[in-house]
Amino acid sequence: MDRWNAVADTDLLARLQAGDEDALSPIMVRHERRLYGIAYGYLRNSEDALEVVQDAFVKLYQQRERIDARAEVGAWLTR
């Protein structure tokens, strides 16, 4: 995972779009805590919040080809 620390989210997204599935994991690590906090703030249920976070990452992966590679990944995930 350390090899990804210096790689920007936009570069990780570009790699993911190019077929490098390993690029998804560092995106998840970087954003899961913040997404969980937002989801928990709305739902006040940890299991539901975890499910929302998981759904967000699934949607990111499924829609990776449609996302503008210059997009702010964190903003896209919280939309």
Side-chain angles (χ1 to χ4, degrees):
M1 186 61 65
D2 291 342
R3 73 183 186 126
W4 297 108
N5 286 344
V7 180
D9 282 350
T10 51
D11 294 332
L12 290 170
L13 180 58
R15 288 175 185 239
L16 187 62
Q17 290 172 330
D20 184 357
E21 294 181 1
D22 290 338
L24 181 60
S25 182
I27 291 172
M28 293 172 66
V29 169
R30 288 179 186 177
H31 296 282
E32 66 186 340
R33 180 174 283 164
R34 187 175 61 81
L35 290 177
Y36 176 82
I38 292 168
Y40 186 82
Y42 281 105
L43 302 170
R44 298 288 180 209
N45 179 291
S46 61
E47 291 176 15
D48 290 343
L50 287 171
E51 188 172 333
V52 166
V53 171
Q54 182 179 12
D55 288 347
F57 289 123
V58 168
K59 287 181 183 179
L60 174 71
Y61 182 77
Q62 290 173 336
Q63 296 181 19
R64 66 192 179 278
E65 297 298 327
R66 296 181 187 164
I67 302 170
D68 183 346
R70 299 167 298 173
E72 186 65 39
V73 175
W76 189 92
L77 286 166
T78 56
R79 254 186 320 131

